[in-house]
Amino acid sequence: MTSPRRSSARQRSSANLRVEVPPGADDPIALLSAGRARLAAGETVNALLLLRRACAGAPDNAEAHFLLGAAHHRANELPAALAAFDRAVALDASQLQASLGALAVLCQLGRASDASVRAEALLARHPDDPQVQYNAALVCEAQGQHEAAVERYDAALTLQPDNYSALLNRGAALARLGRFDAAYANNVRLGATHPDRAESHYNVAEVCLALCRYDEALVASERALALAPEYPPAHRE
């Protein structure tokens, strides 16, 4: 579950905009396909317009509602995103990504306890899905339950050892708990597993500073800067 982009004034007024669609695109499936493409291209406003039309033309299409929820989420239109995700799941209970999207939105709305109830239900149905374990960890973090979050990250990593987001957030959770030696081991693993990601090396540097391992912190910061010279946190090291 990642944080949505802030909505721009243009996104917030999307209901008043128009977008050209190909001839014959009154077909809900064509609208769905076009909306999916616009969403993938980062054209959130256009995606919203197309996907609203797709859902209106095919109100029982679970994928259309899921994609509409994803577009609303990206535009930071949280209540609308939750409604669309929930509609998708109501139409098709196997819409796992819609269920996970709803967890993220609930946490952003400050409804972490509601998200926790849903996360437990998902864990019962999908105990071997690393993405479910990862998102359940995020719900734990939203509730301030960092030890429980580490356990969920561990479960996700058992299922998918190179899961970048799980490793990244596990290290941060361990540091918040003051378990800096464990965070160091985690972040060294992160840097080794994902050597092409600047944030991997920055997180190694960060925990090295907490452990007064200054030479290692400098080396890790230089690696982060070599990969992403504009990366602000590494400059602060």
Side-chain angles (χ1 to χ4, degrees):
M1 273 185 320
T2 58
S3 298
R5 301 173 184 172
R6 292 184 181 272
S7 60
S8 65
R10 183 165 182 249
Q11 288 171 330
R12 289 194 294 271
S13 61
S14 62
N16 298 320
L17 299 179
R18 296 291 182 270
V19 60
E20 291 185 7
V21 295
D26 286 335
D27 174 12
I29 301 305
L31 288 165
L32 172 60
S33 179
R36 184 192 299 109
R38 298 293 176 90
L39 186 62
E43 299 177 21
T44 307
V45 172
N46 287 341
L48 279 167
L49 292 167
L50 290 162
L51 292 167
R52 286 191 188 110
R53 291 175 60 185
C55 290
D60 295 332
N61 188 310
E63 184 185 5
H65 288 281
F66 161 64
L67 290 172
L68 180 61
H72 280 303
H73 196 189
R74 184 175 292 179
N76 206 27
E77 298 169 354
L78 301 182
L82 182 60
F85 285 141
D86 282 349
R87 177 62 177 158
V89 175
L91 290 167
D92 180 2
S94 69
Q95 274 278 346
L96 180 58
Q97 291 305 310
S99 295
L100 296 177
L103 291 185
V105 173
L106 285 168
C107 288
Q108 289 172 263
L109 288 170
R111 296 171 55 187
S113 58
D114 291 336
S116 180
V117 172
R118 296 195 190 197
E120 289 301 322
L122 286 173
L123 286 166
R125 293 199 301 272
H126 306 281
D128 297 326
D129 189 307
Q131 198 64 23
V132 172
Q133 294 286 350
Y134 169 74
N135 280 271
L138 295 182
V139 173
C140 290
E141 294 223 54
Q143 295 180 295
Q145 300 173 356
H146 302 302
E147 288 284 5
V150 170
E151 292 178 8
R152 290 300 179 197
Y153 290 134
D154 286 345
L157 289 165
T158 297
L159 294 164
Q160 188 179 14
D162 63 346
N163 186 311
Y164 174 76
S165 295
L167 276 169
L168 185 72
N169 287 0
R170 181 179 184 272
L174 287 166
R176 278 192 288 271
L177 290 166
R179 295 167 58 184
F180 293 111
D181 287 328
Y184 171 79
N186 178 94
N187 291 354
V188 167
R189 176 183 170 186
L190 176 66
T193 308
H194 300 278
D196 297 330
R197 304 287 289 266
E199 195 168 9
S200 299
H201 300 291
Y202 167 68
N203 280 21
V204 173
E206 192 173 50
V207 76
C208 282
L209 285 177
L211 292 168
C212 300
R213 302 172 78 147
Y214 300 120
D215 290 341
E216 287 184 69
L218 179 60
V219 170
S221 292
E222 289 173 344
R223 287 175 179 164
L225 287 169
L227 290 166
E230 74 287 355
Y231 195 63
H235 284 284
R236 289 199 295 270
E237 300 301 331

